Amino acid sequence: MPAKNSLKTLMVSSAVVSLGGLASGMASADYSDDVVRIGVLTDMSGIYTDLSGEAAVEAVRMAVEDFGGEVNGVPIEVIYGDHRNRADTGASRAREWYDSEGVDMINDLSNSGVALAVAAVADEQQRHAISNSASNIGLTNDYCSPYVTHYTYDAYSLAHGTGKSIVEDGGDTWFFLTVDFAFGIGLEEQVSNVVREAGGQVVGAARHPLDTTDFSSYALQAQASGAEIIGIASTGADAINAINALAEFGVTPDQRPAALLLWYDDIVSLGLETAQGLLLTNAFYWDANEETREFSQRFHERTGRMPNMAQAGNYSSTMHYLNAVEAAGTDDADAVSEQMRQIEINDFFASGGYIRPNGRMVHDQYLWEVKSPDESEYDYDFLRLVKTIPGEEAFQPLEASTCHLLDND
């Protein structure tokens, strides 16, 4: 694990240090270390760098700056680190941050294995963790806690968005290309359940390692399966490589790929010529309305790219956490957790959003179709809205959750 002094630290507001006297002392009396410290634990060097990485850190910085750089007279500090897509590295870094660095909340958590490992540490340490970049629904089931929030999306919402829509459109037989760790396996399981419940059939699956570059053999297995739909239960570079391989080596005219977690960034990488017609479920699109456009243009000025749903979620969830800290008048985790579950979320990311007792943030999801090159009228004009999925339908019913915080008897 990198040495502690390799962590890069940003003091968002130094001006508040000059606030002295009795008023400042009273304001900070209920804040540990006289600072609210947020850690962004993300992929800075691996397969998910483009989906989270530095842009995720920048989204959190934007939220802190827009909040004013301080809460109740106490400065807000942002640090970040690389989990290297290893659950043990993520858990170790989280423990170090909570124990030695005074971190109050960890955000982003790309990679489901990392997110589940950090969730366990957050529960043990009674500190907050918010996942915006992981899909595994264990975060609101067996790994739930009062301190863990699953904010942007999850495997259930993807399965009941993209998967269900394709089955309803006649895609009855499925074969999966699945990345072989918690994220891919969980996504395959969720979509398989949707397919079977709708009367469809899963004819097989091929598991591939994370960060696979050669998908030719997997594409040929998919072709040989005869399935109508090739479900790609991976994301990022793996999903891009799989889609390109299916186009080059694989699918017959009677088969079509279904990217179960396709990011805005993936469409940029694939290009509209290759990605056109693909359906995807996403919680956010930069060009959805005036509010999303205003945030996205500011984000673009800072990063040179439009935000994806996780980056937008990092901003929104950081702002929600800080609103809860302000309302609680302390960074005490239990008091903040109570406020996070009481305050409604209304911003460019969600309207009427709220956090359930098991930590699931409920908000609308959207089914999009990738436009053809001819349909795209201006820069970054990539998606067409197919339908809105109400939050209560998009996410696992609370009564189905296995979270120990619930009384489901």
Side-chain angles (χ1 to χ4, degrees), residues 271-306:
L272 293 183
E273 190 66 42
T274 300
Q276 61 182 310
L278 285 172
L279 294 174
L280 59 146
T281 300
N282 259 227
F284 171 86
Y285 175 46
W286 78 267
D287 202 20
N289 55 53
E290 286 300 322
E291 286 185 292
T292 60
R293 283 189 283 272
E294 188 276 333
F295 167 76
S296 299
Q297 291 294 345
R298 291 198 297 125
F299 187 87
H300 185 274
E301 289 171 5
R302 297 173 66 126
T303 65
R305 62 198 297 173
M306 290 300 184

Side-chain angles (χ1 to χ4, degrees), residues 109-185:
L109 298 175
S110 51
N111 186 305
S112 287
V114 171
L116 293 171
V118 172
V121 177
D123 187 32
E124 173 192 319
Q125 298 291 315
Q126 297 184 349
R127 300 286 182 89
H128 282 275
I130 301 176
S131 174
N132 283 291
S133 299
S135 70
N136 195 285
I137 64 171
L139 290 169
T140 51
N141 287 283
D142 293 346
Y143 286 79
C144 78
S145 94
Y147 315 107
V148 175
T149 303
H150 207 174
Y151 202 86
T152 298
Y153 76 103
D154 61 24
Y156 187 98
S157 67
L158 298 176
H160 288 74
T162 308
K164 184 177 180 181
S165 296
I166 290 173
V167 173
E168 290 175 347
D169 196 37
D172 293 331
T173 56
W174 287 65
F175 182 91
F176 290 93
L177 299 182
T178 303
V179 61
D180 194 12
F181 78 104
F183 153 65
I185 295 168

